[in-house]
Amino acid sequence: MPSKRPSPSPAPDATEDKPRAAERIRRTARELFYREGIRAIGVEEIVSQAGVTKPSLYRSYASKDELAAEYLRDYEAAFWEVFEAGAQVHPGDARAQLMAYFEGLAQRATQSGYRGCGLTNAVVEYPGDEHPARRVALTHKRKLRARLVDLSAAMGARQPAQLADGLLLLLEGAYASGQLFGRGGPAASLVTVAEQLIDASLR
Amino acid sequence: MPSKRPSPSPAPDATEDKPRAAERIRRTARELFYREGIRAIGVEEIVSQAGVTKPSLYRSYASKDELAAEYLRDYEAAFWEVFEAGAQVHPGDARAQLMAYFEGLAQRATQSGYRGCGLTNAVVEYPGDEHPARRVALTHKRKLRARLVDLSAAMGARQPAQLADGLLLLLEGAYASGQLFGRGGPAASLVTVAEQLIDASLR
DNA sequence: TGACGATGTTACCGATCGGTACGTATGATC
DNA sequence: GATCATACGTACCGATCGGTAACATCGTCA
């Protein structure tokens, strides 16, 4: 939570009005949390890699859990940017837009070292309903499901909700199997399978 | 003297030749690791819930990591038992056998509190290639993929490997989305979607 | 019985965890 | 130069982590 007073004069260099250290912590946390997992990374390692110290972390973030939640908010913003990128390339074509994302995902999820979806991973790491990171992730997934229903309806599916569920299963399946198999994993068939499913859902 | 098992000299009561405490630890670890995650559970909590103490754990298991690997071996055995259960109900019918498992999974994955696949979760928790638990999980997933190829071939799919990939994506998607959405999640459509995919892959 | 090996218990280890009290450097304003 | 707010670092906290040494207890067989 950047609940800091907007510094009037000293105006740091970052795009925000936060201290410089906070931004470095944020970017470092994003990378480490995603690559290694939230539970696996201690705050000491974050500040060490960021080149700052712990008090600098706790001046901008209330706790490690809150920093994790902030990481997921960043992750979600980046996700939507990629997900909706196809809308500009294929305006008015819901199917092409979605498939554009699927093609990119199939690429990424079949590289070795792929780590899946940071939001899904966080839910796996924190089963307890109270954790702030989990809250962010669950809210996002509900939004994603709703968006898929809209896209499915725009494609002309007989039962948009059902097609959306199928697409969501494939999505999450690609995230997971990407971690499980790396290069040459089942996500290589993601696009073909999705096309079959969409075709079957249109009648 | 009375009812004795064919245990050599040191004859405990368990079904195995391991100490009684080891079996209690194993069952407790299985439940706690699955429900809360491996990283989230300390050895202290395991032995406490099992009603034993730490040295009893370390006499039967080399480390927490090894106990986690053992947990996953148990989990895998239980998985195959469920997965192959349909083979006896529908002998010679690969499609019916697979769908029997899918139906059960769709049920479980749409209950609130569902925690997904313990093997997949372990891979999410331990991204490092060296962890024994991850090794067990990855080996199992490769076996599962091969088994799905066999089943797809038995169904008469034009491209068995591709259908197997699609089914695996749906499987893993059900595991993940079950955790993300709980009751009423996308896994409710798992069976219908799988049927559509299989139909489209035959012809 | 006495001895022995296996199992269980008490009490503790160093390392690391997330988090904080408190002093220090800097830069603008008067 | 004195003042003050802001940003950052040094050094430390209690709690918990995984793991272990030393001792007590039990079952079995000579």
Side-chain angles (χ1 to χ4, degrees):
Chain A
M1 285 305 183
S3 60
K4 279 299 178 192
R5 300 276 304 154
S7 23
S9 327
D13 53 357
T15 60
E16 303 233 356
D17 57 343
K18 296 215 281 184
R20 301 196 321 262
E23 204 52 35
R24 307 197 51 176
I25 290 167
R26 200 155 122 161
R27 305 198 349 172
T28 307
R30 226 208 111 163
E31 169 141 1
L32 291 180
F33 280 160
Y34 178 69
R35 277 217 329 250
E36 306 289 337
I38 299 173
R39 290 199 117 113
I41 293 296
V43 292
E44 182 62 48
E45 190 158 354
I46 294 174
V47 297
S48 160
Q49 295 245 3
V52 298
T53 54
K54 271 197 273 188
S56 290
L57 191 160
Y58 285 98
R59 253 174 237 119
S60 298
Y61 305 95
S63 63
K64 183 198 175 183
D65 290 351
E66 272 306 324
L67 176 60
E70 192 74 3
Y71 145 60
L72 289 187
R73 279 185 278 268
D74 284 0
Y75 190 96
E76 185 192 8
F79 168 85
W80 284 118
E81 214 163 303
V82 174
F83 188 84
E84 301 292 358
Q88 295 159 353
V89 187
H90 309 280
D93 188 344
R95 179 166 181 163
Q97 172 188 345
L98 184 65
M99 294 314 296
Y101 174 74
F102 271 37
E103 282 160 18
L105 173 58
Q107 277 278 339
R108 278 171 278 141
T110 50
Q111 308 285 353
S112 86
Y114 179 68
R115 265 289 283 169
C117 172
L119 296 144
T120 302
N121 292 353
V123 173
V124 172
E125 286 200 271
Y126 294 97
D129 278 330
E130 73 293 339
H131 199 283
R134 169 177 259 255
R135 288 205 137 93
V136 173
L138 292 187
T139 302
H140 164 260
K141 292 298 181 181
R142 256 171 306 190
K143 254 189 286 186
L144 173 59
R145 192 185 192 188
R147 185 79 183 91
L148 286 174
V149 173
D150 288 347
L151 288 174
S152 297
M155 291 185 218
R158 285 168 307 173
Q159 298 175 317
Q162 186 174 281
L163 175 56
D165 281 357
L167 294 171
L168 194 45
L169 290 178
L170 292 180
L171 257 187
E172 295 294 339
Y175 294 147
S177 69
Q179 296 192 68
L180 297 172
F181 294 91
R183 192 173 300 276
S189 305
L190 174 65
V191 172
T192 305
V193 169
E195 298 275 18
Q196 287 178 342
L197 180 61
I198 295 173
D199 286 337
S201 302
L202 300 184
R203 172 181 28 247
Chain B
M1 245 66 81
S3 60
K4 263 293 174 272
R5 286 297 177 79
S7 4
S9 317
D13 53 359
T15 61
E16 303 232 358
D17 58 342
K18 295 222 270 181
R20 302 196 332 261
E23 203 52 37
R24 307 196 51 177
I25 290 168
R26 201 154 121 158
R27 305 196 351 168
T28 306
R30 225 209 113 163
E31 168 141 2
L32 291 179
F33 279 159
Y34 179 68
R35 276 216 329 251
E36 307 288 338
I38 299 172
R39 290 199 118 112
I41 293 297
V43 292
E44 182 61 48
E45 190 158 355
I46 294 174
V47 297
S48 159
Q49 295 243 3
V52 297
T53 54
K54 272 196 276 186
S56 291
L57 192 159
Y58 284 98
R59 262 191 283 271
S60 296
Y61 304 95
S63 63
K64 184 197 175 184
D65 290 351
E66 272 305 324
L67 176 61
E70 191 74 4
Y71 145 60
L72 289 187
R73 278 185 280 267
D74 284 1
Y75 190 97
E76 185 192 8
F79 168 85
W80 285 118
E81 215 164 303
V82 174
F83 188 84
E84 301 292 358
Q88 296 158 354
V89 188
H90 308 282
D93 188 344
R95 178 166 181 163
Q97 172 188 344
L98 183 67
M99 292 315 295
Y101 174 74
F102 271 38
E103 283 161 17
L105 173 58
Q107 277 278 337
R108 278 170 279 140
T110 50
Q111 308 284 353
S112 85
Y114 178 69
R115 266 287 283 168
C117 172
L119 296 144
T120 302
N121 292 353
V123 173
V124 172
E125 285 200 270
Y126 294 97
D129 277 331
E130 72 294 338
H131 199 284
R134 168 178 259 255
R135 288 204 137 93
V136 173
L138 292 188
T139 301
H140 164 260
K141 292 298 182 183
R142 254 170 302 178
K143 254 190 286 185
L144 173 60
R145 193 185 192 187
R147 183 82 183 90
L148 286 174
V149 173
D150 288 347
L151 288 173
S152 297
M155 290 184 217
R158 284 169 308 174
Q159 299 176 324
Q162 187 174 280
L163 175 56
D165 280 356
L167 294 171
L168 194 46
L169 291 176
L170 293 179
L171 258 186
E172 295 294 339
Y175 294 147
S177 69
Q179 297 191 67
L180 297 172
F181 293 92
R183 193 173 299 276
S189 304
L190 174 64
V191 172
T192 306
V193 169
E195 298 276 19
Q196 287 178 343
L197 180 60
I198 294 173
D199 286 337
S201 302
L202 300 184
R203 179 138 32 269

